[in-house]
Amino acid sequence: MNMAKRHAVLALGMAFILSSCASVIGARPAFPTELNTANETISFASIGFGQSGSFTAGPYSGNYKRSLKGKSGGLLITRARETGKTQFVLRGGELMAPLSGACRANLAEVRLAGFSAETEPFTLRCTLGSDDGMLAATLDLEDDPRAKGFRQNRIGLVRINNDVIDIRSLHKKLKGGSADLALGYVFTRGGSPIAAVDVAGKPNIVLAKGLDQPTRQMLISAATGLTLTWTPQVEF
């Protein structure tokens, strides 16, 4: 298969993964009511299904490279490992320097007779910051060990200097499906929502009023990483 055909097949495969998982048309997470009075909504556009490209997010423009690769082995019992990687840059708006991010998601599972189970739970880590070194943050996300059944509960932290912001997944049950997928995430500080991101069909982030610029910019960067990264999925 020549390179052009391989890229076309990969793009179609990734489109299927997105359409059957988080990016489900009509499936939108419900944001916390506390954010209904937020004065800023930033919508992502033109991301597409490719491994690289450009996009816009409100007043910002950006570009990205990403991949989702898997390894498997075994005959009757198959052990599989998948890794998603993303790199992105955001420019424009009020930014004095571009914002950059690098994310890595991992998941390992065992498959037998059409059934799958995680052997190493899902994890995602993003390293975020400004190119001038003035801003730095990390995002760590993992499966919630308290989750039951096929609910894709995920919890984690965003660390911005000495500030720690909690993050948890938002859900909506899909008709005809057994999986309750993570379609978005809410960021909370001291138990109060300060931002939320929809990573489904029409990605956007909602920001609460009164956020300082470093926190606001790093939350936008974290939301960008969550939106762009192809995350490994257990096969149900």
Side-chain angles (χ1 to χ4, degrees):
M1 184 182 294
N2 64 37
M3 189 61 69
K5 288 183 177 179
R6 290 183 64 184
H7 286 172
V9 170
L10 180 59
L12 288 173
M14 290 307 175
F16 173 78
I17 290 171
L18 290 173
S19 63
S20 61
C21 297
S23 295
V24 179
I25 296 175
R28 309 295 300 277
F31 286 172
T33 56
E34 294 93 330
L35 293 175
N36 288 348
T37 56
N39 65 352
E40 186 175 18
T41 298
I42 296 174
S43 297
F44 294 89
S46 305
I47 292 175
F49 297 128
Q51 289 183 286
S52 62
S54 58
F55 65 98
T56 61
Y60 312 106
S61 61
N63 57 276
Y64 65 88
K65 293 182 179 180
R66 58 186 176 181
S67 63
L68 179 61
K69 298 181 179 180
K71 296 181 179 179
S72 62
L75 297 175
L76 179 61
I77 299 177
T78 301
R79 291 175 173 83
R81 177 183 296 275
E82 291 185 333
T83 300
K85 296 181 180 180
T86 300
Q87 292 181 312
F88 67 88
V89 178
L90 274 176
R91 306 177 181 85
E94 81 293 341
L95 298 177
M96 300 298 293
L99 301 180
S100 299
C103 300
R104 180 186 178 100
N106 295 291
L107 174 69
E109 62 183 2
V110 60
R111 301 168 183 167
L112 173 63
F115 294 94
S116 300
E118 292 182 0
T119 56
E120 294 181 23
F122 167 87
T123 59
L124 181 144
R125 181 175 178 84
C126 295
T127 302
L128 312 167
S130 59
D131 287 4
D132 61 3
M134 298 299 292
L135 297 176
T138 57
L139 182 156
D140 289 287
L141 193 67
E142 63 182 8
D143 281 336
D144 186 344
R146 300 166 295 180
K148 297 180 180 180
F150 296 132
R151 187 172 175 83
Q152 201 181 59
N153 274 25
R154 290 171 176 169
I155 56 175
L157 298 171
V158 177
R159 295 178 175 88
I160 308 172
N161 297 323
N162 295 323
D163 193 10
V164 177
I165 297 169
D166 294 297
I167 179 173
R168 61 177 173 82
S169 52
L170 298 171
H171 302 260
K172 181 176 181 180
K173 187 74 173 181
L174 303 185
K175 292 183 179 180
S178 58
D180 194 358
L181 301 177
L183 301 179
Y185 298 89
V186 59
F187 302 86
T188 61
R189 177 193 280 153
S192 299
I194 59 173
V197 59
D198 178 348
V199 299
K202 296 181 179 179
N204 67 87
I205 179 173
V206 175
L207 298 155
K209 296 178 180 178
L211 294 175
D212 61 83
Q213 282 288 37
T215 298
R216 175 184 169 277
Q217 291 174 2
M218 289 296 92
L219 287 176
I220 292 170
S221 189
T224 302
L226 290 169
T227 299
L228 290 174
T229 302
W230 283 331
T231 57
Q233 305 286 340
V234 171
E235 294 184 359
F236 297 106

